[in-house]
Amino acid sequence: MFADRAKIFIRSGKGGDGHVSFRRELYVPNGGPDGGDGGRGGDVIFEVDEGLNTLQDFRHRRKFAAKDGEQGGKRRCHGKDAEDIILRVPEGTVIKEAESGKVIADMSGDNRRQVVLKGGKGGLGNQHFATATMQIPKYAQPGQPSQELWVNLELKVIADVGLVGFPNVGKSTLLSRVTNAQPKIANYHFTTLNPNLGVVDLEGASGFVIADIPGLIEGASEGVGLGHEFLRHIERTKMMIHVVDAAGSEGRDPVEDIHKINAELKAYNPEIAARPQVIAANKTDLIYSEDEDPIERLKAEFEPEGIRVFPISGVTGAGISELLYYVSGELAKLDDTPIVFEQEYFPEEELLYIDLPYTVEKEDDVYVVEGPKIEKMLGYTNLDSEKGFAFFQKFLKDTGILNELEEAGIQEGDTVRMYGLQFDYYK
């Protein structure tokens, strides 16, 4: 079975805890702190594998977790970093946060490898906390916690052109004639249940990738039938070929079919409906009507809107060459950069604000802020960079820490300490 969707749980590794220990040697009775740092937890990394074309590997296994970092040891021994976990997916896979549906990563175009969840940093051993006033620190920093998410994986076909149309209008026959693809073809509805891709090679013109996408039915934009499976795969296409049964061999009205398909596209995503279109009026070898020419009727209806109509026969090959050269010419006018979905969900920032506790206390003349939330933020933020420090300030404000400091009576110039970080407070 073709698998183009999966829901999985991913978890990065926790950082190893820092170690508390002191030198104990025969001739050094009062040795200083020598606790080592913890190792880094493993990252969760997604990587494009050219040999894959489905998400089948994620149908039977749903949970993927990286290892935790090793704890620090005595004599300043650094804990071992954990190995990253690499999840291989086919090109075109979009990774979304399951609850919000926001895009975390689009594994297409130049994006072949992306760290989705970072492993926790290892905690600092007590050797880092010795000061002139505290020479025997009995505190070591815990490793940064792991990150975890439920994500949806969606495979969205990467093709320049999508063949759209109701079932049994001849899309698969057309694809098999113009490319080296070998889709299953039979005379019954919903034959094509998964996308078939093929490369069109043209003499003297640029070729392109074309996809025959599952047959559409009315109500597809609401998820009826194969609706969303169909519509998801045309999100990347730059142009669409509407294939219609011009002969009406099954009693369908070709003009009405195109209006219905465009209505479904518009209901699903107006931006897709606005992309360039061309009509392939198929099965002309079956037109026997002497009353009204269905091709002229299609042209009269759609060519005033700028949608060209090409009479073709998937069986005899008539008219197909003209259609393909026209499509190639139109694609050459369009932006050739691939359609890639922008990142909307940033796990490091989003997961930072989950409800973890913290405390604000005054010790002597110093305001001390501690707790898992603070440790997590400090572990993922580079305070030496301008962007990192701005994020740090925003974090203090958004989480209410600044308000609590003010309620505790802090004044400008007072000192605030957060584990190894110490700074003066100014509004």
Side-chain angles (χ1 to χ4, degrees):
M1 178 183 175
F2 180 82
D4 62 356
R5 283 185 299 172
K7 182 177 181 179
I8 63 171
F9 173 83
I10 54 175
R11 174 190 175 276
S12 63
K14 175 188 175 298
D17 295 338
H19 190 70
V20 176
S21 61
F22 299 91
R23 289 175 62 194
R24 291 288 180 267
E25 297 176 28
L26 185 61
Y27 300 107
V28 188
N30 298 313
D34 70 351
D37 302 343
R40 179 185 63 83
D43 297 339
V44 178
I45 300 171
F46 281 81
E47 199 170 83
V48 171
D49 186 331
E50 307 288 352
L52 296 175
N53 56 17
T54 80
L55 296 170
Q56 187 68 34
D57 292 348
F58 300 97
R59 281 294 177 95
H60 306 294
R61 184 182 168 195
R62 298 294 180 90
K63 295 190 176 182
F64 300 86
K67 300 288 187 184
D68 297 338
E70 196 174 75
Q71 291 186 2
K74 299 177 180 178
R75 300 180 183 176
R76 306 195 176 204
C77 286
H78 195 293
K80 185 179 179 182
D81 292 341
E83 287 187 10
D84 300 328
I85 184 170
I86 298 175
L87 305 181
R88 291 180 169 81
V89 294
E91 183 174 7
T93 300
V94 179
I95 304 160
K96 295 182 177 181
E97 196 274 323
E99 191 172 334
S100 66
K102 291 181 178 179
V103 174
I104 300 173
D106 183 350
M107 306 305 296
S108 57
D110 294 330
N111 189 24
R112 320 303 287 177
R113 177 185 171 93
Q114 182 162 334
V115 177
V116 171
L117 293 183
K118 284 191 175 179
K121 287 185 179 178
L124 299 175
N126 69 333
Q127 60 174 309
H128 295 278
F129 298 98
T131 65
T133 57
M134 185 170 61
Q135 296 182 5
I136 50 170
K138 295 180 180 177
Y139 167 81
Q141 192 179 39
Q144 294 296 320
S146 60
Q147 296 181 328
E148 56 186 48
L149 271 181
W150 279 97
V151 296
N152 289 329
L153 307 181
E154 294 183 2
L155 179 57
K156 297 177 188 285
V157 167
I158 297 177
D160 301 306
V161 178
L163 293 178
V164 298
F166 282 90
N168 206 30
V169 293
K171 301 194 310 302
S172 296
T173 303
L174 176 60
L175 184 77
S176 66
R177 177 171 278 278
V178 302
T179 73
N180 58 357
Q182 296 180 327
K184 295 178 182 177
I185 300 169
N187 189 29
Y188 54 89
H189 292 301
F190 303 120
T191 305
T192 308
L193 296 181
N194 49 292
N196 289 296
L197 274 78
V199 177
V200 176
D201 291 316
L202 295 173
E203 190 174 338
S206 298
F208 51 88
V209 179
I210 192 168
D212 164 25
I213 298 160
L216 181 64
I217 62 171
E218 292 173 68
S221 58
E222 298 168 4
V224 175
L226 296 174
H228 285 159
E229 281 76 358
F230 162 85
L231 293 162
R232 181 168 57 252
H233 287 301
I234 60 171
E235 290 187 14
R236 293 193 200 273
T237 56
K238 297 172 185 173
M239 185 173 183
M240 276 166 286
I241 299 177
H242 284 267
V243 183
V244 292
D245 178 354
S249 58
E250 291 195 344
R252 302 195 66 90
D253 182 334
V255 171
E256 195 176 312
D257 277 1
I258 292 170
H259 283 307
K260 285 178 179 177
I261 287 175
N262 279 332
E264 295 297 340
L265 294 178
K266 195 169 183 180
Y268 179 72
N269 186 334
E271 191 269 328
I272 295 174
R275 291 178 193 165
Q277 302 179 6
V278 62
I279 295 170
N282 193 25
K283 303 190 182 182
T284 53
D285 53 300
L286 299 179
I287 296 175
Y288 303 114
S289 172
E290 298 178 1
D291 305 326
E292 182 183 35
D293 185 346
I295 303 300
E296 291 306 314
R297 182 167 163 251
L298 283 164
K299 288 183 175 182
E301 182 76 17
F302 296 105
E303 291 201 339
E305 299 176 17
I307 302 175
R308 288 281 303 275
V309 176
F310 288 85
I312 68 163
S313 170
V315 174
T316 69
I320 291 177
S321 179
E322 292 86 341
L323 168 68
L324 297 180
Y325 276 99
Y326 172 79
V327 169
S328 176
E330 291 301 297
L331 286 173
K333 301 174 187 176
L334 302 175
D335 184 358
D336 61 358
T337 55
I339 296 172
V340 176
F341 299 95
E342 296 295 325
Q343 185 170 2
E344 304 167 319
Y345 185 96
F346 298 84
E348 280 191 37
E349 294 181 16
E350 300 275 357
L351 296 176
L352 187 60
Y353 290 95
I354 59 176
D355 192 22
L356 292 173
Y358 65 88
T359 59
V360 176
E361 296 176 352
K362 188 175 182 182
E363 296 179 2
D364 299 325
D365 293 326
V366 177
Y367 289 84
V368 180
V369 185
E370 292 182 334
K373 185 187 287 279
I374 309 303
E375 286 193 307
K376 191 168 188 176
M377 184 275 301
L378 292 176
Y380 290 121
T381 308
N382 178 13
L383 298 178
D384 294 330
S385 72
E386 185 178 337
K387 183 180 178 183
F389 195 75
F391 177 70
F392 168 66
Q393 290 176 307
K394 182 176 185 295
F395 169 83
L396 294 180
K397 182 179 179 182
D398 292 350
T399 52
I401 293 172
L402 285 183
N403 287 339
E404 289 207 28
L405 284 168
E406 289 171 2
E407 287 173 9
I410 197 167
Q411 301 295 319
E412 289 205 4
D414 286 349
T415 300
V416 178
R417 188 171 75 232
M418 298 182 180
Y419 296 105
L421 178 69
Q422 193 161 298
F423 60 93
D424 293 333
Y425 171 79
Y426 291 98
K427 280 192 176 182

